[in-house]
Amino acid sequence: MIRTILRPLFLLHLLAGNATAAFLPSPADRGAAKQHRGPTSATSLNAGLLPEIVESPRTLVQRGMRSFRDGDVPSSLSYFDRADAAVPDGSLRPFLWQRGISYYYLDMFREGSDQFRLDVSVNPLDVEEIVWDVACLARMGGGEFP
């Protein structure tokens, strides 16, 4: 029943997907410069002539949203995790509400609840994340549900 109720809310998130990138801190805002790393075995064909470009957190989030829309929820979670790891100071983590939705659809309700609560800690007026947190708590069962 909860999935039926929350699915329209999630669709609104998906429809706003391109606008979401505008709410993520840009690399310039976080003071992060684009980073390059040397060639790896996967790039050995270029014999080290060209550096491998590291994907930006914004690109990783966009790919995660695209993967989710394409029905590949496990890949979406992987992209969101990589975006989080790409910002070592953790400043992106509270803004990864999309990862919370992936957690929910992967039946990882504790992780989803934690992600939504983190989002609400920086954006307390975002009622939708509160609803998603309650949905996660309801699916977990136990004594934490209000």
Side-chain angles (χ1 to χ4, degrees), residues 86-98:
V87 184
D89 67 359
S91 62
L92 181 61
R93 191 168 298 134
F95 301 97
L96 288 173
W97 55 265
Q98 304 94 329

Side-chain angles (χ1 to χ4, degrees), residues 32-104:
K34 287 188 177 182
Q35 298 178 7
H36 297 282
R37 63 179 180 204
T40 64
S41 60
T43 60
S44 61
L45 290 178
N46 74 22
L49 299 176
L50 299 173
E52 181 180 336
I53 297 174
V54 176
E55 294 173 297
S56 73
R58 183 179 299 240
T59 298
L60 292 167
V61 169
Q62 290 171 343
R63 288 184 180 187
M65 292 186 319
R66 187 177 316 117
S67 291
F68 193 100
R69 279 192 297 265
D70 293 343
D72 189 357
V73 181
S75 287
S76 74
L77 182 58
S78 175
Y79 279 117
F80 298 138
D81 288 345
R82 287 174 54 200
D84 184 29
V87 184
D89 67 359
S91 62
L92 181 61
R93 191 168 298 134
F95 301 97
L96 288 173
W97 55 265
Q98 304 94 329
R99 178 166 60 176
I101 296 172
S102 292
Y103 281 138
Y104 180 87

